[in-house]
Structure formats: structure tokens, C-alpha cells
């Protein structure tokens, strides 16, 4: 249920307004964006459990900050990616990570997940896909050896298929800076792969 066209964006805006006053409505936003955010973080970390923790923290912070969300040239999706990127940065910067319990979100905050979404099945599916693609794992290893500033632009551009402008919004950088980081990161990756 990712919102893609103008009619969907109107529905998304209505849903966000509803969720700003009713935390239970946030569950529909969670269902719509969970998979995209989880996969983004998984590609950055290469660790299913860590990706689950960072994704849970991303949605916890999004739910807590939703009342302050305003439509200012940044889509809700980009806002979530920005939160997720900041959480990943925090993890890599500190080397440790504090997580919010999903049970806390479900019980104390009134988050309702009523889609019948099977998280364990998704983990198994993702793990199988990672095991099948050894090239992805080798490439991922080389990407993870790059400084984080290059990792985030490469993952957003090539794994998440984000446009340069959207990456700039997510990372809080100019388009020129994003292009430069992307170019330098790819050069470093090429040299690393050639070795």
C-alpha cells in the first residue's frame, strides 16, 4: 500500500492527519512503509536482527514525532527514510544501539497492526534471498568497508532507487554534494572490487 499517485497522496495525507490524533491509525502507515524501510536498513547493515531493531526504532520515533510532521516539500516516505538514516548513523557512530520494544508500541502507545503481516515469514524470505545472492553479499561487504557517508548515498541510489534530489532531502545535503559523494563512493568501490 505504498502511495504512488496523486490520489494516493491525498489518501496518505488524510491518513497522516488521522494518525496525528489517533495513534491506532499509525498502524496503516506502518503496514504501508515497513517493508521498504526494513529492506533499506537491511541493505545498509547486512544484519537481519539489527535491521529489525533500527526499523522498530525508526517507526517509534516517527510515531512520536508525527504530530510535528508537516508537508514541506518532503514526502512522508522521505521523512521515514531520513529518520531511518539518522538511526543507522547513530548505530555506526556509537557502535551500540538502544532499541524500543515493539511490544511497547503495541500496548502502551495503542499501535494497531491489523494486516495479518507475518514478520517471521519475511525474515525467512529475506534470509533465503541473501543466501542465494553471493555477489550481493560480496558487494555489500565492500560497500560496508566504505566510510558511512558513501554507504548511505550508494544504498539510497542503487538499492532504494531514490533520485538525487530525494537523497539530498533525506540526507540534508545539496544535490551537488550528493552527486559528488556518489561519484567518489563509486570510485572507491570500483578500486576495492578490482583488488
Amino acid at each position: 500500500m505504498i502511495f504512488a499517485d496523486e490520489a494516493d497522496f491525498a489518501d496518505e495525507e488524510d491518513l497522516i492527519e488521522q494518525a496525528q490524533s489517533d495513534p491506532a491509525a499509525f498502524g496503516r502507515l506502518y503496514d504501508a512503509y515497513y517493508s521498504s524501510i526494513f529492506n533499506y536498513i537491511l541493505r545498509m547493515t547486512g544484519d537481519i536482527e539489527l535491521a529489525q531493531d533500527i526499523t522498530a526504532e525508526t517507526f517509534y520515533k516517527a510515531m512520536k514525532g508525527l504530530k510535528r510532521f508537516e508537508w514541506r516539500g518532503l514526502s512522508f516516505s522521505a521523512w521515514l527514510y531520513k529518520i531511518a538514516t539518522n538511526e543507522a548513523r547513530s548505530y555506526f557512530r556509537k557502535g551500540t544501539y538502544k532499541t524500543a520494544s515493539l511490544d511497547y508500541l503495541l500496548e502502551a502507545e495503542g499501535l494497531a497492526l491489523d494486516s495479518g503481516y507475518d514478520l517471521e515469514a519475511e525474515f525467512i524470505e529475506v534470509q533465503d534471498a541473501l543466501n542465494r545472492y553471493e555477489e550481493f553479499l560480496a558487494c555489500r561487504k565492500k560497500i560496508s568497508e566504505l566510510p558511512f557517508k558513501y554507504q548511505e548515498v550508494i544504498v539510497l541510489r542503487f538499492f532504494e532507487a531514490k533520485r538525487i534530489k530525494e537523497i539530498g532531502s533525506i540526507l540534508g545535503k545539496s544535490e551537488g554534494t550528493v552527486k559528488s559523494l556518489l561519484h567518489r563512493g563509486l570510485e572507491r568501490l570500483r578500486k576495492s572490487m578490482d583488488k
Side-chain angles (χ1 to χ4, degrees):
M1 177 171 106
I2 298 280
F3 300 95
D5 60 32
E6 283 188 39
D8 287 341
F9 286 123
D11 292 342
E12 179 187 44
E13 193 168 351
D14 290 342
L15 183 55
I16 290 168
E17 281 183 29
Q18 182 182 1
Q20 286 175 328
S21 60
D22 178 13
F26 187 79
R28 289 180 51 210
L29 291 169
Y30 177 94
D31 290 342
Y33 291 106
Y34 176 84
S35 185
S36 297
I37 298 299
F38 173 78
N39 287 323
Y40 166 59
I41 296 298
L42 178 62
R43 288 178 182 122
M44 291 200 27
T45 63
D47 182 310
I48 290 176
E49 290 179 14
L50 179 58
Q52 179 187 14
D53 289 345
I54 292 174
T55 302
E57 187 68 18
T58 296
F59 280 96
Y60 174 73
K61 289 196 173 172
M63 186 176 72
K64 292 305 249 183
L66 191 61
K67 289 183 181 185
R68 294 184 311 272
F69 177 77
E70 294 178 12
W71 298 93
R72 286 191 238 157
L74 186 67
S75 69
F76 183 74
S77 168
W79 186 65
L80 283 175
Y81 275 97
K82 188 172 192 164
I83 294 169
T85 299
N86 288 338
E87 290 304 305
R89 280 181 186 162
S90 175
Y91 168 77
F92 286 113
R93 188 172 39 249
K94 295 177 186 171
T96 59
Y97 199 76
K98 293 182 179 179
T99 61
S101 166
L102 186 56
D103 292 332
Y104 174 77
L105 291 175
L106 293 171
E107 294 170 16
E109 297 294 327
L111 178 63
L113 304 178
D114 57 359
S115 68
Y117 188 75
D118 187 353
L119 189 58
E120 187 173 339
E122 181 177 342
F123 286 158
I124 292 168
E125 184 180 316
V126 169
Q127 186 63 52
D128 288 344
L130 286 174
N131 291 337
R132 282 191 307 261
Y133 299 109
E134 289 184 17
E135 282 184 26
F136 168 80
L137 293 175
C139 184
R140 172 66 201 112
K141 184 178 185 308
K142 294 295 184 182
I143 291 171
S144 71
E145 293 169 358
L146 295 173
F148 188 73
K149 64 184 178 182
Y150 299 127
Q151 289 182 43
E152 60 190 3
V153 294
I154 289 172
V155 170
L156 284 167
R157 181 71 177 124
F158 296 105
F159 294 113
E160 298 302 313
K162 299 294 181 192
R163 295 182 317 268
I164 299 294
K165 183 176 183 176
E166 192 171 12
I167 294 170
S169 293
I170 291 168
L171 301 179
K173 299 184 184 309
S174 71
E175 289 181 45
T177 301
V178 170
K179 288 178 185 177
S180 177
L181 287 170
L182 196 54
H183 176 76
R184 283 187 255 146
L186 290 174
E187 281 300 313
R188 283 185 174 209
L189 185 59
R190 260 187 225 106
K191 287 177 184 175
S192 176
M193 296 292 275
D194 288 343
K195 293 178 183 176

